[in-house]
Amino acid sequence: MEELLVNTRYEAKTGCSHRGVSLIIQGLMLPLFGLRLAWRLALASWRCSLYYIRCTQAQVLSITSRVRKTLHGSSDDIGWLQHAHDMAPVEDGTVRFLELLEKIRNGEHNLPNSFVYLLIPGLFSNHGPLYFVGTKRFFSKMGLACHIAKIHSEASVEHNAWELKQYIEELYWGSGKRVMLLGHSKGGVDAAAALSIYSSDLKNKVAGLALVQSPYAGTPIASDILREGQIADKETRRIMELLICKIIKGDIRALEDLSYDKRREFISKHQLPKEIPLISFHSEASIAPGVLATMTHIAHAELPWLPLPKFGSEEADDFQAGHQVPVVIPISAAMAVCALHLQLRYGEKSDGLVTCRDAEVPGSVVVRPDRKLDHAWMVYSSRKKDPSEPDSCEMCEALLTMLVELGKMKQERDVSGAF
């Protein structure tokens, strides 16, 4: 009996001790669990902080990159074609051009009637009814066959190249004469693209090409507007698409094709034929304060008929008919502002839209006049004309006369080389 009591007491003591140990262990586990939970929360908080720091760092780097790309602009692109490998050198023909211009001013006109002269307008020319009109009228009065290419100026370069191919072949087969091309601005790029892409079809139908203020290598205006990765690039592109595609009913590629990236890609694939003589004409716009007051005549507006009697007329039914008034806008002022912008930002001389270095075509004869001429001067007439200075019609005639001379010289060299 006593042994049973002893065992019972022992078991009771043992059970109590086990429960105590268990309680002690449980008491120790709670702080450990709390420490583990606190560690995990701290680790998660640290990881979350690192994630937000990395996101903020990426955003800062992205903004910094965009700011740097925006500020850098086209600094590395302007004049790239002059430093490209395997590009033919240019020849300065300014002196000969000035000699021919002086002869034309003195009434000596030597443009032959053995060619058809095709004037190719540039970007947005469809919205300027007087684009090249004065030059065409000037040539027609001399008895020359002169046409203005009816192309969609806001179409892409390759589209207009195809249209010009059809136009040139139509003129060639219709007249039996080779075609002499003079393209202004994007029109020169379109014409060069037609000769490059369809050289086998056109090299015997085209007598020469004069590129007047054409961004053959590209223009910083187009690149700076459409460059990806700069500040507000998507918003700017949407605005240009709205303006060109929706309002003007054109193609955004018309502007995009004039950027440096697109011109690099195109020139690397398509080379101009060496058989056709080329002239590159570029100029520098004036940034003098007086230019801001210069108005450019771009169109005529037809006033509606008004039932007002003519003064001094005794006829009862003799009324004034509707008449035209000139539409003038300050294009020269806009060109002066753009030229000043390119001068201050890049240190480059330009006509307002095209830098002088980007207008020189490899293998061409380059004309660099000293006179200050903006990008629109060669195709629109100014309201302030100086009779002592040559006008745009005479300059176009001098360029084409020089192009005819280059063609004759090239033929003579080819004949002498054959023997």
Side-chain angles (χ1 to χ4, degrees):
M1 189 68 181
E2 291 180 357
E3 291 180 357
L4 181 61
L5 290 174
V6 170
N7 290 336
T8 302
R9 289 174 182 173
Y10 176 77
E11 291 177 356
K13 289 180 181 180
T14 305
C16 291
S17 63
H18 283 306
R19 285 195 295 272
V21 171
S22 177
L23 290 175
I24 292 172
I25 293 174
Q26 289 180 0
L28 292 175
M29 288 295 294
L30 286 175
L32 292 175
F33 179 76
L35 289 175
R36 184 181 298 175
L37 180 61
W39 169 253
R40 289 181 177 177
L41 289 175
L43 189 61
S45 177
W46 175 251
R47 289 176 179 175
C48 186
S49 300
L50 285 179
Y51 173 76
Y52 282 114
I53 290 174
R54 289 174 181 174
C55 289
T56 304
Q57 185 180 12
Q59 291 179 354
V60 171
L61 291 176
S62 176
I63 294 173
T64 304
S65 175
R66 286 179 176 272
V67 171
R68 187 183 297 113
K69 199 166 189 177
T70 303
L71 295 176
H72 193 69
S74 302
S75 299
D76 297 334
D77 297 321
I78 297 175
W80 70 271
L81 191 57
Q82 295 181 337
H83 307 293
H85 299 291
D86 301 329
M87 290 297 173
V90 298
E91 179 184 347
D92 190 358
T94 307
V95 175
R96 181 54 183 162
F97 169 78
L98 294 177
E99 292 175 354
L100 292 173
L101 188 60
E102 185 63 25
K103 291 181 179 181
I104 292 171
R105 295 277 294 168
N106 293 329
E108 185 178 342
H109 304 282
N110 296 319
L111 268 184
N113 196 22
S114 57
F115 299 105
V116 176
Y117 300 94
L118 182 60
L119 308 176
I120 305 162
L123 191 62
F124 305 132
S125 60
N126 291 344
H127 305 279
L130 295 184
Y131 204 109
F132 266 142
V133 170
T135 304
K136 179 182 182 300
R137 187 184 300 115
F138 179 77
F139 285 172
S140 298
K141 287 181 179 179
M142 293 190 294
L144 302 174
C146 183
H147 303 268
I148 300 176
K150 299 298 188 293
I151 59 175
H152 188 6
S153 62
E154 289 81 49
S156 66
V157 169
E158 292 192 4
H159 174 83
N160 281 348
W162 169 255
E163 294 289 335
L164 285 173
K165 172 185 179 294
Q166 305 296 320
Y167 210 100
I168 292 169
E169 290 180 333
E170 181 181 345
L171 291 175
Y172 176 79
W173 294 116
S175 64
K177 302 176 182 179
R178 290 194 298 165
V179 183
M180 194 72 72
L181 306 177
L182 188 148
H184 175 255
S185 189
K186 182 177 177 287
V189 177
D190 292 339
L195 297 179
S196 301
I197 299 174
Y198 308 106
S199 58
S200 59
D201 297 321
L202 298 179
K203 64 181 180 180
N204 295 323
K205 301 179 179 70
V206 174
L209 169 62
L211 297 96
V212 180
Q213 299 169 318
S214 297
Y216 184 77
T219 169
I221 302 298
S223 293
D224 291 348
I225 291 175
L226 298 177
R227 181 177 293 107
E228 295 182 358
Q230 63 182 359
I231 296 176
D233 54 349
K234 296 180 180 178
E235 293 78 7
T236 304
R237 187 178 183 88
R238 281 196 291 266
I239 292 173
M240 296 308 300
E241 288 178 348
L242 174 65
L243 176 63
I244 296 177
C245 302
K246 302 298 183 181
I247 299 177
I248 302 180
K249 305 300 180 182
D251 189 343
I252 188 65
R253 290 179 298 174
L255 182 63
E256 195 172 35
D257 286 346
L258 301 181
S259 65
Y260 289 112
D261 291 339
K262 290 295 182 180
R263 292 308 298 160
R264 276 195 183 95
E265 180 182 350
F266 183 90
I267 293 173
S268 65
K269 295 179 181 178
H270 307 286
Q271 297 292 326
L272 282 166
K274 298 180 180 179
E275 300 86 357
I276 299 176
L278 302 172
I279 290 179
S280 303
F281 177 95
H282 62 72
S283 60
E284 180 184 355
S286 174
I287 56 177
V291 179
L292 300 178
T294 304
M295 303 300 289
T296 303
H297 185 189
I298 66 165
H300 290 295
E302 185 77 25
L303 290 182
W305 177 83
L306 297 175
L308 299 175
K310 290 184 178 179
F311 295 101
S313 176
E314 297 179 356
E315 297 290 337
D317 297 331
D318 200 358
F319 296 100
Q320 292 184 2
H323 61 280
Q324 292 181 339
V325 295
V327 177
V328 294
I329 59 176
I331 292 182
S332 297
M335 294 297 105
V337 172
C338 291
L340 180 61
H341 163 73
L342 294 177
Q343 177 71 37
L344 294 177
R345 184 175 185 183
Y346 299 117
E348 292 288 336
K349 297 179 180 180
S350 71
D351 57 19
L353 297 180
V354 182
T355 65
C356 296
R357 291 199 290 162
D358 291 326
E360 296 187 358
V361 181
S364 68
V365 176
V366 180
V367 176
R368 309 178 179 99
D370 295 332
R371 187 178 171 189
K372 301 291 186 180
L373 304 173
D374 63 56
H375 192 76
W377 186 90
M378 288 293 289
V379 290
Y380 291 120
S381 60
S382 172
R383 299 296 292 171
K384 296 180 180 179
K385 293 184 180 180
D386 187 355
S388 64
E389 295 285 352
D391 60 16
S392 59
C393 302
E394 294 169 334
M395 283 200 170
C396 288
E397 182 185 356
L399 287 173
L400 290 173
T401 304
M402 187 174 175
L403 201 56
V404 172
E405 287 187 355
L406 291 175
K408 291 180 180 179
M409 294 169 57
K410 193 171 186 61
Q411 287 181 353
E412 293 174 357
R413 286 198 300 267
D414 293 341
V415 171
S416 61
F419 292 98

